[in-house]
Amino acid sequence: MAVAARPEGTAQVAPSAVGERSFDRLAQVIVALLTLVLVLFPVVPILYQSVNRRPLYDRVADLTGSNFARVFSSGEFWRTMGATVVFAALTTLLAVALGTVLAVLLTRTDLPGRGLFVNFVALPFYVSPLVLAFAWRVVFGPQGYFTILARTLPGHLSWNLFSLGGIVVVSAMYYAPYTYLYCTASLGLADPQVEDAGRIAGAGPLRTLWAVTLPLLRPALLYSALLTLVSSIELLSIPLVLGTPSNVQVLATYIFKLGLVGATPDYGAIAAISIVTILLVSALLWLQERLTALERRFVTVGGKATRARLLKLGPLRWVALALVAVYVLIGILLPLLGIVAQSATAILSPLINPWELRTSENYATVFHTPPYFHSITNSILVSVLGAAVGIAFIAFVALIVNRSDFPGRRALAYLALYPRAIPGLIVGVGFLYAFLLVPGLGGVRNTLFALGLAFIMRHLPLGFGAVSPSILRISPELDRAARVSGTTWLGTVRSILLPLLRPALLSGYILLFVTFLKEYSTALFLFAPGSEVIGTTMIQLSRQGETGAIAALATVQMGITVVVLFISRALLGVKLYGDEP
């Protein structure tokens, strides 16, 4: 019997390998469908509730556009929109200015003590904005330590932290590290010969910074500005803690008030405002992508890398040192040290020696009150397990997008990044509505499983962005060599890609752990007694005026973060945002 010759160069594939390859596609389809369900799970119910006059738990629907009409005809809504625009714009301007100045001074000048300041400037990146808000209230609030101290000094220096200006300052302090990190990374890639040319042409240090260095930062500034603008629109904690006493209301606190303050939540209005917010943020993210694509022409990385020469500031270096030192001391260290001191004293006041009022009662209250203690253990549990499940799932999503021939990989990439357009508070609202809408899921609503699922969906873009660059740095030749030898896609992932990605996966896990630990807004509509996390408990304690217990919980959260970061960096060698390359 004649046997057809196999064409030369065609690899023979074993029958088992064919079966495994068919399972490759099945696994890719399953991951893609899970991603689709995870992302749309909270979005679809919000959209449905926005056009439904009745709550979702009412099985009789009343579809109408009256929810939007009621919202758009409300004077309170438009006042809130105006305050949100002003707050977001001012926060963005101040944060970008601070972050840019810090990045340039600490990476491109001969500022004394640069290495020391670098360790502190990125610190707010790892601190919850809720903790930062309470920290500033302890130190600079109406009854804060330094506010009272300022009243005793000649001149009666005073300020009002509970105002739009105060909220903007604290929010800018939180977001400034984002611009700092983006600009630092951009300066690290820029060719220093461009700046050298400016100096050779006779430009002084300030002229070189203004005319050469800052224009090179345009892509980083544009990206960080739009990121800060989007993030400030969805920010809840700082406006809630510092704005509520003075009736300063933004979109996030407006949704919080409609859903969690008062006896009867207005589900229709909440959904309508959520849809408006999602559309607004989506438009800004689309604009961000378009503008950053246009700015890709700002590329100065040459074939021969050279180390940048530091710009000599001369006598101005001491002025710059004083400004940076004041920023770090007053804006970062004093508030965080103040809330730690508050946790260990009965009353923190400059009129009484704090050492005489030291106490462990605040910590005893936290650790001996079951709901407070459970919030700590729940936060750790959700962070440990949720981050592990999240990074494993995100890794497969990123591998399908970047290292497979899956037909829908571009759509999958867009889907993985889309949760950027959904604020955390609205993610919680969406999951609540989904659990009310889907039969049989009501019992899952107030569990740690629901919180972990919502956290993973909320921060899917963060993990995807942390893992994808490392995948792209692995040569595709390794994949091709494995496939030529008959290895399946799953086999290639298991035996080649995942081992090479271990550092990136560990880094992504630590990043998700820290992010989940400080997450609070997504949980506000989902938690119940027994499923509290640290952030939700602090907000509840704030309503009761328990400043000591709040400070103790905040200190515990910061302590856990410090321990995890120390172990990951010193013992495991993990690099996160803010680490020097």
Side-chain angles (χ1 to χ4, degrees):
M1 182 174 62
V3 179
R6 178 169 52 90
E8 185 178 355
T10 304
Q12 184 174 6
V13 181
S16 60
V18 175
E20 291 176 0
R21 282 195 173 84
S22 65
F23 188 72
D24 287 349
R25 183 67 76 216
L26 177 62
Q28 294 165 359
V29 170
I30 290 174
V31 171
L33 289 177
L34 287 176
T35 306
L36 179 66
V37 172
L38 183 64
V39 173
L40 296 185
F41 186 69
V43 176
V44 173
I46 294 177
L47 183 61
Y48 179 57
Q49 177 67 88
S50 68
V51 295
N52 189 354
R53 191 194 303 270
R54 299 178 182 272
L56 291 181
Y57 54 77
D58 190 336
R59 296 306 174 188
V60 179
D62 184 7
L63 301 183
T64 176
S66 62
N67 291 326
F68 287 98
R70 186 157 47 90
V71 167
F72 292 149
S73 63
S74 169
E76 183 180 13
F77 170 75
W78 292 112
R79 288 191 298 272
T80 302
M81 282 291 292
T84 303
V85 171
V86 173
F87 161 69
L90 293 178
T91 298
T92 300
L93 289 173
L94 183 56
V96 170
L98 288 173
T100 305
V101 171
L102 290 169
V104 172
L105 290 177
L106 296 179
T107 60
R108 279 296 201 260
T109 71
D110 61 343
L111 182 77
R114 292 183 305 120
L116 177 63
F117 289 123
V118 165
N119 295 324
F120 293 114
V121 166
L123 191 59
F125 182 84
Y126 302 105
V127 177
S128 167
L130 186 62
V131 170
L132 195 65
F134 284 123
W136 271 72
R137 191 176 74 174
V138 166
V139 177
F140 299 109
Q143 301 303 318
Y145 187 91
F146 278 94
T147 305
I148 296 175
L149 181 62
R151 293 172 186 162
T152 64
L153 300 176
H156 301 289
L157 181 66
S158 63
W159 53 81
N160 182 15
L161 186 65
F162 292 170
S163 64
L164 180 60
I167 299 170
V168 167
V169 169
V170 179
S171 301
M173 296 300 299
Y174 177 70
Y175 288 120
Y178 287 77
T179 299
Y180 167 79
L181 294 172
Y182 279 112
C183 288
T184 299
S186 181
L187 289 171
L189 294 174
D191 189 347
Q193 294 180 7
V194 180
E195 294 170 319
D196 291 340
R199 286 192 290 265
I200 292 173
L206 294 181
R207 179 65 182 275
T208 302
L209 291 175
W210 180 261
V212 180
T213 305
L214 287 181
L216 293 178
L217 290 176
R218 277 181 56 181
L221 292 177
L222 183 62
Y223 191 89
S224 59
L226 287 172
L227 175 64
T228 303
L229 184 65
V230 169
S231 301
S232 57
I233 289 175
E234 67 179 54
L235 183 64
L236 170 66
S237 57
I238 297 175
L240 181 65
V241 173
L242 305 181
T244 301
S246 56
N247 294 320
V248 177
Q249 183 171 268
V250 295
L251 276 176
T253 55
Y254 189 29
I255 296 174
F256 178 86
K257 184 182 76 171
L258 291 176
L260 296 173
V261 179
T264 305
D266 191 341
Y267 292 107
I270 292 172
I273 296 171
S274 297
I275 292 297
V276 171
T277 306
I278 291 173
L279 292 176
L280 174 62
V281 175
S282 298
L284 290 173
L285 289 173
W286 175 84
L287 179 64
Q288 181 186 52
E289 294 296 332
R290 291 294 302 270
L291 293 179
T292 51
L294 294 175
E295 295 291 343
R296 286 171 186 167
R297 66 184 185 275
F298 285 80
V299 178
T300 65
V301 181
K304 296 181 179 180
T306 58
R307 182 177 293 275
R309 290 192 303 169
L310 298 179
L311 295 173
K312 297 186 181 300
L313 297 177
L316 292 177
R317 65 199 297 253
W318 303 111
V319 177
L321 173 63
L323 293 176
V324 174
V326 169
Y327 169 84
V328 170
L329 181 63
I330 295 180
I332 300 174
L333 294 183
L334 284 181
L336 297 181
L337 292 175
I339 200 167
V340 173
Q342 174 75 75
S343 71
T345 57
I347 300 175
L348 184 63
S349 171
L351 306 178
I352 307 174
N353 185 357
W355 188 256
E356 297 178 357
L357 298 176
R358 65 187 186 279
T359 179
S360 60
E361 186 64 28
N362 295 324
Y363 289 97
T365 300
V366 166
F367 287 107
H368 294 153
T369 304
Y372 304 165
F373 180 70
H374 288 160
S375 69
I376 298 175
T377 58
N378 289 341
S379 291
I380 295 174
L381 186 62
V382 170
S383 300
V384 170
L385 298 181
V389 174
I391 198 63
F393 177 74
I394 290 168
F396 273 97
V397 173
L399 285 167
I400 293 173
V401 169
N402 297 294
R403 294 305 258 264
S404 79
D405 59 352
F406 182 64
R409 58 186 181 276
R410 290 187 179 180
L412 182 60
Y414 179 81
L415 200 62
L417 294 174
Y418 184 72
R420 294 180 302 171
I422 312 174
L425 187 67
I426 295 176
V427 170
V429 172
F431 271 87
L432 171 66
Y433 288 174
F435 291 136
L436 292 174
L437 181 64
V438 180
L441 293 184
V444 184
R445 180 180 60 184
N446 301 131
T447 63
L448 295 182
F449 174 80
L451 293 184
L453 199 63
F455 287 7
I456 291 172
M457 182 270 177
R458 169 76 175 100
H459 299 291
L460 183 62
L462 179 66
F464 186 83
V467 174
S468 291
S470 296
I471 296 176
L472 295 175
R473 283 195 290 266
I474 299 175
S475 174
E477 295 178 357
L478 299 176
D479 303 43
R480 288 194 291 266
R483 301 304 294 272
V484 168
S485 66
T487 307
T488 64
W489 179 80
L490 286 174
T492 303
V493 168
R494 182 179 61 253
S495 60
I496 296 178
L497 294 177
L498 288 181
L500 293 175
L501 287 174
R502 282 174 185 169
L505 295 179
L506 183 57
S507 176
Y509 172 77
I510 297 298
L511 186 61
L512 288 182
F513 178 94
V514 173
T515 303
F516 285 12
L517 184 67
K518 64 182 186 179
E519 180 61 64
Y520 68 96
S521 61
T522 307
L524 286 172
F525 280 88
L526 295 175
F527 84 98
S531 61
E532 310 93 342
V533 292
I534 293 177
T536 59
T537 300
M538 284 196 289
I539 289 178
Q540 287 183 315
L541 288 171
S542 178
R543 295 181 179 180
Q544 304 167 13
E546 297 287 346
T547 56
I550 292 173
L553 276 174
T555 303
V556 169
Q557 187 183 77
M558 289 191 294
I560 296 172
T561 303
V562 169
V563 170
V564 170
L565 292 178
F566 174 79
I567 293 175
S568 63
R569 291 179 178 180
L571 301 182
L572 302 177
V574 174
K575 286 186 176 293
L576 299 175
Y577 296 137
D579 292 344
E580 293 190 48

